[in-house]
Each structure stands twice: as C-alpha cells, then as structure tokens.
Amino acid sequence: MDGALTTEHQEDGSLRRRKTEDEGEDQIGSKLSKTETTGLESCLDEPVELRSVHEVIKYGASSLPAKHYDPDTTEPISSGLQSLEELLSWKRSEANPFNVATVPLANREPSLASTPHRTLVSHDMMGGYLDDRFLQGAESDAPYVFYHWQYIDVFNYFSHNTVTIPPSVWTNAAHRHGVIVLGTFITEWTDGGKMCEVFLKEEESYRAVADRLVQIAHCYGFDGWLINIENPLGETAVKNTPLFLRYLTDQMHERVPGSMVLWYDSVLENGQLKWQNELNPSNRVFFSACDGIFTNYNWTEQNLEGMKAYSAAQGRLADIFVGVDVFARGEVVGGKLETNKALEMIRKHDFSTAIFAPGWVYESIPDKNDFRKEQDKFWSLLSDFLYVHRPSSPLPFVSSFCQGAGTSLYWRGQREVDRSWFNLDAQELQPLYYRETLEGEGWLRTQGCPEDAWSGGSSLLVEGVLPSMLSKVCARIFSLQVPLSSRVFVSLIYKPSPGVTVSLELKTADATLCTHRGVQDIPTSSIEPIALTEDHQLMRQFSQSCGQWNPDGWTVRCSQLELQGCALRDVCVSVRRDGGDKDTPFKCRVGEIMILDAESLSVAPLPVQSVCLYDVVWLRGANKLNLNATLRWRYPAQLVRHFLVYWRRLRGPDPRIPSGKLALIGRAYCPLFRVTELTVPEPPGLLELVVEPVSREGFRVPESQWGRRSLSYTEERTDQS
C-alpha cells in the first residue's frame, strides 16, 4: 500500500513536497522543542558552581499560556485546537513541552503491518480531556483507565475539538505496549462546512493544513490522524479532499515512519454527507488516498459481504476498519455487552474493526468501584476475536503491574502517598487479564488489585481453586517474544495465601524460530528457575543495588538461568498445593516480576546532569507563600522507571533554624517536572530542589549522583528610598 501511494505521488509532479516556513523548527527529540530551548540550553550548560537561581518575588497573574497550564495552579494540561485559524497559526516554539510523548513505540509481534485483522479503539468519553488532561496526574477516586493493550493495534483519542491532540500520558502508555496513537481532525455542522470551503479551496491552503497536522504529530510524538469530515462539501472542496488526504498521508509516512491516516465514512465523492456503513464506489476515492477507512456503525452482514467482494477492497481488507459503537446507538449489530456479536461477524469476513467508545463500560455503571470487574468482563467477551500481541523489546523486562491509578502510591511495598491518584505515565507493561475454568470445580483468574501493591498503584491478583485432581496450576500472565542473554537474573516479588507454594515458570523457545514473522505456535520448553542463596554473588549485587528496604510481608525470590540462543515466550505463575488432595482455594498477589541480563547488575548508574529552573510563578494565599516552577534536567529517560523530586529549606530569615530534611514533592516520568503549589518559608529564603533517578530495575542511584538546584528569593521592595 505504501509503495503504491509513493508511486502515485511521484507520478503527480504537483504533489511534490514543499518545505514549510516552520519546517526548519520541526525536529522531534526531547520534552522541550528545539526552538524554545535556546535560552534553556545555556542554563543547562552552566558550570555546576554557577547553578543557583535568585528570584525577586512579584505577584500577579501568571504569564504562562492558559491552554497549556491551569490558570489557578499552573499545572501542565493538555488541550486541543478549536479553529482553523488556531491550527494554521500553530508553531512548534509555542507547543506544550509537557505534552510531548517520551516513550518510543515498542516492538511487538505480530507487528501492525503483519496483523491481518487489526483492532482500533476510539476513545470518546464524555467529551475527552477529563482527568487525563492533567499531564502530571490528578487526584481521582475511580478514574477510567485502559489496560487491555495486548488486544489492540491502534488507539485513537477522539473529541469534538477541531484538532484533538492526544494527551501525552495516553501516547506514552500506548507506545509502551507497541500500540500506535492517532489524533483527530474533525469538521462538522455549518461551521465545519465553512472551514472546509476555506482550506480545501486550493492546493496551497490544503497543503498548509496538512503540513501543520504533520508538524503537530511529529512534535508531540504520536502516530497519525483520523480525518472526520461530517458536513457537506462543495464541488471544489470535495475534488481537493482526496488530494489533501494523499498529501497528508505521504507527509506523515515520510516524517513519522509507521504512521497512519484514516478516513471516516461520512462524505461521498459528490460532496453529499451520507454515511454508507461500508466501502463502496461512492467513497472509494477517499479510501484510495490514505491508509484506510473507519466505517460508520449501522452496517449489516450484507454490507460486509458486499465489501469483501468489492474490487477496491482486494488486498486491503485489513485497511477497512468496520465501526462498532459500544453504546449501540441506532440500528447496529451487537454493542454494549453484545459487542462480541459484532466482532464475530466482522472477523468472519476478514475485516479489521474500530471499537468506538468502549468507555461505555465506565459510563454505564453506577458504582465506579466496579469498573475493573466490568472492564475485564467486557474484554473477555471480545478476546476470542482479538490477537494477543507479544512485546518483543530486549531485556530488561520489568513490570509491577501498575495500571496508572490507585488508592495509594506504593514504593517497595510501603505507602509513599496515601491518597487516590491517576497518571497513565505510571502505567507499566500490562499482563493478561482473564478467567479460566479448570477440571472439576477448579478455576483461575487474574485481575488488577489496588488494595495492595509493591510499586505504583496495584499488584496482580492471581486467585482461584486448585482442584483435587491437579497438584499445580500455571497462570500465564505474559506472552512475549524477548531474546534472552546467556546469563539471566530473575526476581519475583509476591504474597501467597497459606497452603500453596508459588514460583515462576518460564517458557522459552529457540530464538532462531522466533525470528520468522507470523509464527504463532512454535515449540517451547518450560523452565522453573532455582532460587539463589543469599551469599550468591548475584544476590549480593542485587541487594547492594536495592539498598535498605523492608519487604513487609512480601516474599522476594531471586534466581539465575544460564541459557544459549533462547527467547522468552511466556511468563507463568505456578501455584502448587503444599499437601493433601482436596480442592484448595488460593490467592497470590504478585508485586513485581523482573528479568534482567545478569551483567546489568554490575553497571554503574549515571549522574543527573544540568538541573535547570525556569517559568517561576509566585502565588500567595491563606497566609502562605507558594512556589510554582519548571525543572528540567539531563538523564537518559529509557534508563529510569521514574524520578523522585524533593525540596528542602537551606536557609530562612531566622539563621537559628537549621536546614530542613528532604521532602518529597512528586514523581516525574521524564526529565521534566512542574513544581506546583509548594508552600515555602517566608522571604528572604534559600531552598534546594533535588532530583533522584530510580532505574528501570528499581535500583536507586547514590545520593552523590542526584541532581540539585538552589533557589534564593527575596520580597520585592515597595519603598522609594
């Protein structure tokens, strides 16, 4: 498909790429854009001894843009663009640095290109930009979270803004699981029609819109667009629409490899607004100009049969995403808890699917505390018609099963923050959630457990009944395709119920077999790692890297494997009965699984470099002084699980008061953090902001390697003397 589009573009000389005025700026890389870092780079490159900031406190309205920062708290927020004018005037230098995704798209098998039946989720929930607009997280008792990433290929963030820019927390969570992310460009109603007549009137105007959409996706780190024009088009506008789509698709492919542009089934080639619920000669011209079509929802099996026989669909069935409205509005097949009926019919005819508004599960339940149970039920009904994608990134493989929310925030089994929170940046690689029936009265289930956690907001609860005729049961919690080194260190942290013994069982395969694309069923071997003794060299290195900690009821089991030419295919939790032959109920909370190249235990940690402080805003209220400021530093983000940001008082008006102890402000998931509403001593004062990296393996870096920045501040003088 890509090759055909490229050929067509090259043959049409009028569609050759033009450089835009903003193109020189449009280089993706870090959390902050190149054009706005000029002043900050000098700050980051200052000698260590000069890295102190002095502030004269001034009060007044924040000068930070309200579309990027909450006007009351200066918290970074995500938002869309409301008009054509706002889109065309968009500049990278004015982009929101906190909304740039920092997690690269992970590898997985089968890949998007080799998946014959793709699955797209379009997230349209109560208008969008809810708790998830707060880019450093929000307090939320029972938020909507999505964690069945292994089933889907494409995630579309949908809203009725003209340009919907996905919040970076969603892009980061999706990318961590190998799922691409699409924003939405929508025009609708009378105003949408007027907008289309303006930007689709000629080549220069539609290219200007496409160039901006490409630059926005490139800047913010997501992977493409759903184009949703839901208004009639005039003769010139509809003639230029396929040219707009083709140019946008071509530019996206060039700038963002693996990107995707989809067309929503709405307008016909004559400009009429008339949903077809299928691909047919009336909308074929748009499908031919981009990567695929997202059909409307009111189709019947007759529509599917007609599409499958249609000449334009031949060789591109995977590019036809048949829409399914989970709310079941109108005359539809399935929907709600019968969405599986729609998927069964769609897969029967070999099409991809676009599941629209699965947030119905959350919106439809009165008690939001039941959400996880209902979410797992919904996706289990669909699972027979979905692929399980295997993460295939190299070691280390680490997950503490955090879903990106919780009633408390844990670190090494201890509560670090005792309040409800929501932040999808904290979501770790998700396991398989399912229920399985065993022999006799036996059963097995895996689900997220927010009541207790080792790290983050939840653990994995493996529970069930081990039937009398079985001595053990294995719960498959990850399907992978991860190449293993010759010496592997394995750590399992768990809390079992009495009467059972818990261990890890790993299934490996010949690594050469795993290199063949599309191979799902290959021979595997089961290995149960043998626990290491405390005096083993690897255990000593592990303990030294972890530092002092108290497991507090958690069991930590470490082991070593020596292998040659193997790839890890499955990670299973094995539960054995300790004795007897009766049905045995069991529960096991799994806090963390870590599989490392053993050599990584001896790698020295890197220091945090160049802590920079800027965008300082002072706010006074209720007899207290609040500091708000942005911290940025240098550190390879791929090496860390998170950063801990602290502050302490170094000096205040009363010299008799000693320096304060470090107090935790929060966690950062990239080398950028906004300090908000930090109450500090009255001026004159001197405080220190400190950044501690925590490695992907959970190892803390020695204090000498932490990053620091001091801030002195005085009150603005109002007298004229």
Side-chain angles (χ1 to χ4, degrees), residues 274-336:
K274 190 175 182 181
W275 296 269
Q276 298 296 286
N277 307 298
E278 65 178 10
L279 172 68
N280 62 30
S282 296
N283 55 27
R284 170 182 180 171
V285 64
F286 309 113
F287 174 68
S288 299
C290 64
D291 293 316
I293 189 169
F294 179 151
T295 78
N296 193 48
Y297 319 106
N298 304 111
W299 47 267
T300 64
E301 187 164 16
Q302 187 176 356
N303 295 113
L304 303 183
E305 290 168 350
M307 276 197 295
K308 192 166 184 181
Y310 182 38
S311 60
Q314 304 313 304
R316 292 192 66 186
L317 294 184
D319 300 333
I320 301 171
F321 291 81
V322 179
V324 178
D325 179 14
V326 179
F327 276 83
R329 289 163 283 206
E331 294 295 322
V332 299
V333 175
K336 300 183 179 178

Side-chain angles (χ1 to χ4, degrees), residues 321-374:
F321 291 81
V322 179
V324 178
D325 179 14
V326 179
F327 276 83
R329 289 163 283 206
E331 294 295 322
V332 299
V333 175
K336 300 183 179 178
L337 290 179
E338 293 187 337
T339 299
N340 56 311
K341 292 183 178 179
L343 258 67
E344 182 176 16
M345 196 175 291
I346 291 166
R347 298 309 199 208
K348 172 184 168 185
H349 295 282
D350 295 322
F351 292 113
S352 294
T353 187
I355 301 171
F356 186 76
W360 169 83
V361 176
Y362 181 88
E363 294 187 54
S364 65
I365 55 174
D367 186 351
K368 304 306 182 193
N369 292 313
D370 291 335
F371 168 63
R372 280 181 175 84
K373 179 180 72 176
E374 296 301 318

Side-chain angles (χ1 to χ4, degrees), residues 53-80:
V53 176
H54 179 74
E55 277 277 311
V56 177
I57 298 172
K58 297 180 181 178
Y59 304 106
S62 166
S63 62
L64 297 173
K67 64 183 176 181
H68 297 333
Y69 299 90
D70 184 277
D72 295 325
T73 65
T74 81
E75 291 175 86
I77 56 175
S78 179
S79 62

Side-chain angles (χ1 to χ4, degrees), residues 595-612:
I595 303 170
L596 317 174
D597 182 339
E599 302 305 316
S600 67
L601 291 173
S602 57
V603 174
L606 298 174
V608 173
Q609 295 181 327
S610 309
V611 180
C612 199

Side-chain angles (χ1 to χ4, degrees), residues 7 39 130 136 178 193 257 289 310 406 428 493 508 528 533 535 538 543 568 573 583 603 685 716:
T7 302
L130 303 172
Q136 290 185 170
Y310 182 38
E428 301 215 350
I493 299 175
T508 62
E528 208 163 300
T533 58
D535 60 350
L538 290 181
S543 299
L568 181 60
V573 172
D583 287 358
V603 174
E716 182 178 24

Side-chain angles (χ1 to χ4, degrees), residues 349-633:
H349 295 282
D350 295 322
F351 292 113
S352 294
T353 187
I355 301 171
F356 186 76
W360 169 83
V361 176
Y362 181 88
E363 294 187 54
S364 65
I365 55 174
D367 186 351
K368 304 306 182 193
N369 292 313
D370 291 335
F371 168 63
R372 280 181 175 84
K373 179 180 72 176
E374 296 301 318
Q375 170 100 319
D376 292 347
K377 177 181 177 182
F378 175 82
W379 285 96
S380 70
L381 290 170
L382 306 185
S383 61
D384 285 346
F385 311 105
L386 304 171
Y387 286 98
V388 172
H389 294 271
R390 297 172 178 265
S392 58
S393 298
L395 295 179
F397 174 84
V398 182
S399 182
S400 63
F401 312 102
C402 179
Q403 293 178 341
T407 53
S408 296
L409 183 62
Y410 291 85
W411 174 247
R412 290 181 176 166
Q414 306 293 318
R415 282 186 174 88
E416 198 171 75
V417 178
D418 197 9
R419 59 172 169 75
S420 295
W421 63 278
F422 168 63
N423 187 348
L424 286 172
D425 265 340
Q427 189 181 80
E428 301 215 350
L429 202 64
Q430 290 299 292
L432 302 172
Y433 297 102
Y434 63 95
R435 182 185 170 107
E436 181 182 343
T437 300
L438 305 175
E439 297 178 41
E441 299 297 314
W443 58 274
L444 172 68
R445 179 171 62 194
T446 62
Q447 60 180 345
C449 175
E451 284 77 32
D452 199 1
W454 175 253
S455 177
S458 53
S459 54
L460 177 67
L461 181 62
V462 180
E463 63 177 340
V465 171
L466 186 57
S468 57
M469 62 282 294
L470 296 178
S471 60
K472 76 163 189 173
V473 63
C474 279
R476 184 171 63 121
I477 59 173
F478 287 106
S479 279
L480 307 169
Q481 190 159 303
V482 175
L484 295 175
S485 55
S486 57
R487 202 161 64 114
V488 177
F489 179 82
V490 181
S491 169
L492 169 67
I493 299 175
Y494 63 102
K495 277 185 180 180
S497 57
V500 294
T501 297
V502 173
S503 60
L504 270 190
E505 187 171 318
L506 307 179
K507 294 188 178 180
T508 62
D510 187 326
T512 57
L513 293 177
C514 293
T515 60
H516 298 289
R517 285 186 176 272
V519 176
Q520 292 297 308
D521 298 312
I522 58 178
T524 60
S525 302
S526 289
I527 303 171
E528 208 163 300
I530 306 300
L532 295 173
T533 58
E534 289 188 11
D535 60 350
H536 192 281
Q537 176 196 0
L538 290 181
M539 276 299 295
R540 291 199 302 269
Q541 289 177 335
F542 179 68
S543 299
Q544 186 176 359
S545 299
C546 288
Q548 294 294 319
W549 47 296
N550 175 18
D552 193 25
W554 292 90
T555 299
V556 181
R557 182 185 177 97
C558 299
S559 52
Q560 174 187 315
L561 292 172
E562 294 191 3
L563 306 161
Q564 198 66 44
C566 288
L568 181 60
R569 293 288 285 179
D570 291 309
V571 177
C572 306
V573 172
S574 173
V575 181
R576 280 189 175 84
R577 186 186 295 103
D578 285 345
D581 57 0
K582 295 182 179 179
D583 287 358
T584 306
F586 67 89
K587 286 187 177 183
C588 177
R589 287 188 175 87
V590 186
E592 183 175 86
I593 289 176
M594 185 159 55
I595 303 170
L596 317 174
D597 182 339
E599 302 305 316
S600 67
L601 291 173
S602 57
V603 174
L606 298 174
V608 173
Q609 295 181 327
S610 309
V611 180
C612 199
L613 183 73
Y614 59 99
D615 283 348
V616 177
V617 176
W618 298 95
L619 298 174
R620 184 175 284 283
N623 298 317
K624 60 183 181 180
L625 178 64
N626 285 343
L627 168 67
N628 305 270
T630 296
L631 282 173
R632 182 178 176 233
W633 57 93

